[in-house]
Amino acid sequence: MTTMGGGWTTIQRRINGSLSFDRDWSAYKNGFGSPEQDVWVGNGLIHLLTKENSALYVSITLQNGTTLYEMYDRFSVSDEAGKYQLSLAGPATGTLGKCIQLKF
């Protein structure tokens, strides 16, 4: 991956929507799908990956071909006991935030 200097891990990908993301707790904990197609790597793995300083880069391509992105300087997900709570910190930059507002 070469985006913003590379070194990123894909945690979710939806290419064509053929895989249902309507899943239970266990599926989201352990992950599902295929890395070559639609995938969710699993909250447990995301927790482990974000124990150290991690950044989050979100990229969305709209049906008209426009790509929007947002970059968060600090990103972590708590463990299962903490219900895999998402934490974002630091300034966010990009074009996605101008279109939607994430509320946690």
Side-chain angles (χ1 to χ4, degrees):
M1 298 183 86
T2 59
T3 302
M4 307 216 34
W8 299 96
T9 300
T10 300
I11 60 174
Q12 178 182 341
R13 176 182 294 142
R14 298 208 58 185
I15 294 174
N16 60 20
S18 64
L19 181 67
S20 173
F21 276 62
D22 184 14
R23 305 287 176 120
D24 63 12
W25 180 270
S26 178
Y28 273 95
K29 174 183 176 180
N30 297 309
F32 53 88
S34 166
E36 296 81 26
Q37 297 293 319
D38 294 353
V39 68
W40 177 257
V41 299
N43 292 338
L45 180 58
I46 297 169
H47 165 68
L48 294 174
L49 289 170
T50 63
K51 279 183 155 184
E52 301 296 321
N53 291 338
S54 297
L56 176 65
Y57 182 87
V58 177
S59 174
I60 296 175
T61 302
L62 304 176
Q63 289 182 342
N64 68 7
T66 302
T67 299
L68 303 171
Y69 77 94
E70 200 73 17
M71 170 83 173
Y72 299 89
D73 285 344
R74 299 190 56 113
F75 158 65
S76 65
V77 171
S78 67
D79 61 10
E80 186 173 16
K83 299 184 180 178
Y84 299 116
Q85 183 173 347
L86 171 68
S87 296
L88 299 171
T93 58
T95 56
L96 184 59
K98 295 173 180 67
C99 296
I100 62 170
Q101 295 294 320
L102 297 176
K103 295 182 181 182
F104 301 100

